[in-house]
DNA sequence: AAAGGCAGCAACCGCAGAACG
DNA sequence: ACGTTCTGCGGTTGCTGCCTT
């Protein structure tokens, strides 16, 4: 059971690798293969532990490693995969040829995680952040102002803005949750998230919800979005990616939910990406500047809360199993 | 020009499970 | 069946270079 003692060895070099060490390692592996990592350093003439050699090879020296910046497609794929797999960096890496788990992990922690946070998305759950969406949306202004959120002092104006943002985020979360119901199938137990969410959203959000229930998604959602000033995505014709089915399996258990999607394909990059519900529409955050250019291909990350819409065609749902049917079949969805 | 702060990333650490004797 | 070794993985650290003051 015990730990490998290789890194406890005294006298082995640590720290950055020199070009000479790299050459020794590459030459040896190209001639002999790595074989036992434990024995490799001695055989290759390196004063390193085997673990260090393996890491250097797999993360840097391997000939099939793709170097350079992550492409937009890779970024989207990482976000999708992370939403389905969590911090399973090695699993994610197997779906990004030439990228290592370490590289993806670093990129996530240094870039993508911050970007999602700046967009008001929880990088763990990939949903609008609950601290804003569920707490602030339901709290009276006076409380928000008096308490300050996250140890920040808020004046009433800030609290007002925060509450407005929170309501929007909550509505976005509601829409996403509804989409997830369609994507993942209906759970056999009441969806507490959804119920609390419905309770926390404004009447407009509930109207939107009812609109979804009562009729076609596109027209009514657009009307509500227009009336609310929100950019709710037009769900019609959107494709929801098989987030939980990236491994090509159907009905894969992920995060406690089950997907019945059979498609194992990745999101169609050419399909229209739904627009994001901005956390603060009135002031375009500077943190998003990198993705607000006129290049429409760069808006994908802005759309992350609804990136999940890219892979599933909802048209059939409107005709075969509509929201009405869904809600009639599962009344707890609407009753508190 | 120098100092301090910050971001990015290579490398290390330690755990867990597989493989092996 | 059991103990030891090896490998893989995720989390974390710390070095380096760039940017700001």
């Amino acid at each position: 059971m015990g730990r490998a003692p290789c890194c406890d060895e005294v006298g082995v070099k640590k720290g950055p690798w020199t070009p000479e060490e790299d050459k020794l390692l590459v030459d040896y592996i190209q001639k002999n293969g790595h074989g036992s990592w434990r024995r490799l350093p001695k055989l290759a003439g390196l004063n390193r532990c085997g673990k260090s050699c393996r890491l250097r090879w797999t993360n840097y020296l391997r000939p099939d490693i793709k170097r350079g910046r992550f492409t937009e497609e890779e970024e989207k794929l990482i976000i999708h995969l992370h939403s389905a797999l969590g911090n399973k960096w090695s699993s994610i890496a197997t779906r990004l040829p030439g990228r290592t788990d370490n590289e993806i992990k670093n990129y996530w922690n240094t870039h993508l995680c911050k970007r999602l946070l700046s967009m008001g998305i929880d990088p763990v759950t990939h949903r609008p952040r609950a601290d804003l969406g569920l707490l602030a949306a339901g709290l009276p202004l006076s409380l928000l102002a008096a308490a300050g959120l996250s140890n920040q002092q808020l004046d009433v104006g800030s609290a007002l803005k925060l509450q407005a943002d929170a309501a929007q985020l909550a509505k976005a979360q509601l829409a996403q949750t509804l989409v997830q119901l369609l994507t993942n199938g209906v759970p056999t137990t009441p969806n507490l998230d959804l119920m609390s969410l419905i309770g926390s959203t404004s009447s407009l959000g509930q109207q939107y919800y009812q609109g979804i229930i009562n009729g076609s998604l596109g027209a009514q959602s657009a009307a509500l979005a227009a009336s609310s000033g929100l950019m709710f995505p037009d769900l019609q014709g959107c494709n929801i990616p098989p987030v939980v089915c990236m491994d090509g399996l159907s009905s894969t258990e992920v995060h406690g939910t089950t997907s019945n999607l059979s498609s194992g394909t990745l999101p169609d990059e050419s399909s229209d990406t739904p627009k994001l519900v901005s956390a603060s529409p009135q002031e375009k955050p500077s943190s998003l500047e990198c993705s607000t250019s006129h290049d429409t291909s760069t808006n994908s990350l802005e759309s992350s809360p609804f990136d999940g819409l890219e892979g599933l065609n909802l048209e059939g749902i409107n005709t075969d199993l509509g929201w009405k049917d869904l809600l009639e079949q599962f009344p707890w969805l609407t009753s508190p």
Side-chain angles (χ1 to χ4, degrees), chain A residues 3-20:
Chain A
R3 266 187 60 238
C6 72
C7 290
D8 297 340
E9 289 172 13
V10 289
V12 295
K13 190 178 174 213
K14 292 182 181 178
W17 281 64
T18 65
E20 291 74 26

Side-chain angles (χ1 to χ4, degrees), chain A residues 67 85 93 102 119 134 141-142 171 176 223 225 240 253 276 286 297 318 326:
Chain A
R67 307 216 68 85
L85 301 170
N102 202 41
M119 293 159 58
L134 293 179
L141 291 180
S142 55
K171 282 180 249 180
Q176 189 186 28
I240 297 181
E253 184 83 1
L276 171 72
S286 59
S297 67
N318 282 336
L326 189 70

Side-chain angles (χ1 to χ4, degrees), chain A residues 142-330:
Chain A
S142 55
L143 264 183
L144 286 174
L149 204 66
S150 304
N151 297 324
Q152 292 174 352
Q153 293 301 314
L154 291 177
D155 57 24
V156 173
S158 302
L160 192 64
K161 178 178 172 301
L162 174 61
Q163 195 183 45
D165 288 350
Q168 290 182 359
L169 285 169
K171 282 180 249 180
Q173 190 171 356
L174 169 62
Q176 189 186 28
T177 303
L178 292 170
V179 168
Q180 283 175 352
L181 282 173
L182 287 176
T183 310
N184 299 331
V186 178
T188 53
T189 56
N191 185 330
L192 296 177
D193 271 1
L194 178 62
M195 289 162 66
S196 67
L197 190 55
I198 292 167
S200 71
T201 51
S202 65
S203 60
L204 233 166
Q206 291 169 10
Q207 279 181 46
Y208 179 67
Y209 178 68
Q210 286 297 330
I212 294 172
I213 293 167
N214 294 332
S216 69
L217 293 167
Q220 295 204 20
S221 63
L224 279 163
S227 67
S228 66
L230 287 176
M231 294 285 285
F232 275 112
D234 182 343
L235 302 180
Q236 271 187 317
C238 289
N239 296 316
I240 297 181
V243 171
V244 297
C245 300
M246 288 300 184
D247 54 4
L249 301 173
S250 60
S251 300
T252 305
E253 184 83 1
V254 176
H255 292 168
T257 60
T258 302
S259 168
N260 292 319
L261 288 177
S262 58
S263 165
T265 57
L266 296 174
D268 179 5
E269 302 293 346
S270 64
S271 67
D272 289 336
T273 306
K275 298 296 183 289
L276 171 72
V277 179
S278 166
S280 298
Q282 64 272 43
E283 56 169 17
K284 204 71 177 180
S286 59
S287 58
L288 291 178
E289 281 173 3
C290 60
S291 57
T292 54
S293 71
H294 295 297
D295 179 2
T296 54
S297 67
T298 62
N299 71 357
S300 56
L301 286 171
E302 274 191 328
S303 305
S304 285
F306 299 106
D307 269 356
L309 304 180
E310 290 173 333
L312 180 72
N313 192 335
L314 291 176
E315 283 173 3
I317 289 163
N318 282 336
T319 55
D320 299 328
L321 175 62
W323 284 99
K324 250 181 173 173
D325 297 328
L326 189 70
L327 272 297
E328 277 171 13
Q329 196 174 350
F330 302 96

